[in-house]
Amino acid sequence: MCGIVGGVTERNLTPILLEGLRRLEYRGYDSSGIALISSEGAIERVRSLGKIRQLNDKIERTEHPFQGQIGIAHTRWATHGVPAEQNAHPHICNNRVAVVHNGIIENFADLKEKQIEQGYRFTSETDTEVVAHCLDSELDNANGDLLKAVQATVEHLDGAYALGVIAIDQPDLLVATRCGSPLVIGVGIGEYFIASDVSALLPVTQQFIFLDEGDVASIRRDQLQIFDKDGEPVERSIVTSSLSSHSVELGEHRHYMHKEIFEQPQAVIDTLQGRITDSSVLVSAFGHRAESIFAEIENIQIIACGTSYHAGMVARYWFEDILGLPCSVEVASEFRYRHPVIRNKTLLVTISQSGETADTLAALREAKQQFPGIASLTICNAPESSLTRESNLVFLTHAGPEIGVASTKAFTTQLVALALLMTAIGQVQKRLTEQREKTIVHGLQKLPTLIQNALKHEETIKQIALSFADKTSALFLGRGTMFPIAMEGALKLKEISYIHAEAYPAGELKHGPLALIDEQIPVVAIAPKDELLEKLKSNLQEVKARGGQMIVFEDEGSCVSSDNDNFHVVKATTNVGRITAPITFNIPLQLLSYHVALIKGTDVDQPRNLAKSVTVE
Ligand code: G6P
């Protein structure tokens, strides 16, 4: 995890680095720091525990203006060592070299032992500090040549890293490298920048170079040289980003999460655009090899983490119920280590907002190694991410940048993508009639309006949230595709309001959770009119009989009757279809957790202990 930003420019770099850090805060926010080379040629550093705003305040209070034209900065999500100022990056050795790091150095303990023997003193508990000492030692070996020192240093490192390095030996040079963690170079006019992702640099440039695994970049204000992992000079192309600077700004919203919830109708439109005709799905939207791959497959294996995993769980119902195609879904952190058996002709589908989640990426690599030739497809929101580079087929969700740690619009567009995937495979394998395909496509076209209408219930949901805020536990119930939606609802509540929440398939209530029910535990149920509705209604009676507080989200046809004050029924939508139902019913659950968190006064966009992009195990 963690976020890196850096640059070499003629202007004062400090505000650019601070703005970059703010934009990377979603990657970690327990501490941060900046190191610059001053006009006197010395390394100057400011670090702070807490959010970037605290770093900013500290910088404003420095005795002399904290300014420089070359520097590196970092926002941290603690892995090795508690969140504390002395563990914050940049790490410095001998006032000579400073480094920022994203990733984990797996052999840091061995390196540390040797460095202590060599006489290096450690001032932090981090794995990164070994990199700073190693650079110092390699600078000696290379007579102060920073590029050579970085190239030699990475030879000692096992694990994942993106590094930004400056040293007083060559005060005009920034060296950056990556292996297993993302890093982009922003190309300005007479200036260059580095960052963990493009969003950090959008205020200063839209031109980017994506480094390959093992690349080392030597960056001066007027000169960029890139060397591959063998030290050979290479050219990497410049890509113009279509993202605009203000697409990651808050606008009129109080939180990114709120903004992103309300962007969902547009995110669905953008994700469907160019992927469907009026009556069918364009198979080629999944890549030029999609048709031949889809024709062959007999099973689907979905792998993902967190919210993306819940999207996969919904899709399993679709693949098996609508297409009759076997589909398994597993969290990546389990899949990668349990030596799974994958049947022949399986399509491996990874789902990820960031495309950089360490477990998902490792699971994909593991599967490719165990089953050479396996076809892989990723549904991802980040073009140029590791997952998109390493998969045979890529489908980009066009959700736009998602900044709030709790995923909302990315989830919705993942579901849209999975519905398109299911339909495309059904079309190629003739498991769907033309009429059925047309019905699905028309349903998807109605989604933006359905979501828009569901969003109109915000005021009602705000009122319901009031009765939640003093609770310590909640239960979410659903059946069929509404079970993973209940899981997602419970996860959202946990993540941002810190209320313990569990989801159950409603039919399991009597096998345990019913024992928990009393007036202190609100129960949220999702009740669309489908073939399981009557069974769900019986489950709700079981809760009611035990005095539990019920909140039921239903559609027009469900007719769940509310006959007492403890029983709120919200008609969240009109009648919805098999595919549109889970996507639409998720919206009120997002709003519910948002408003509960708001009442509780938690940090909605950056909840404690979490990070948006989990690039470590
Ligand atoms: C973290 C985020 C979640 C996200 C999960 C998987 O836990 O906080 O919002 O669902 O990682 O991330 P991915 O980028 O792979 O979808």
Side-chain angles (χ1 to χ4, degrees), residues 15 97 179 184 270 444 537 540 572 591 610:
V97 56
C179 176
V184 297
D270 294 343
L444 290 171
K537 282 184 180 172
L540 301 187
L591 287 170
L610 300 180

Side-chain angles (χ1 to χ4, degrees), residues 43 92-98 136-137 139-140 144 166-169:
I43 292 182
I92 295 180
C93 181
N94 287 337
N95 290 327
R96 178 188 198 184
V97 56
D136 177 69
S137 157
L139 272 169
D140 284 343
I166 51 173
I168 56 171
D169 303 69

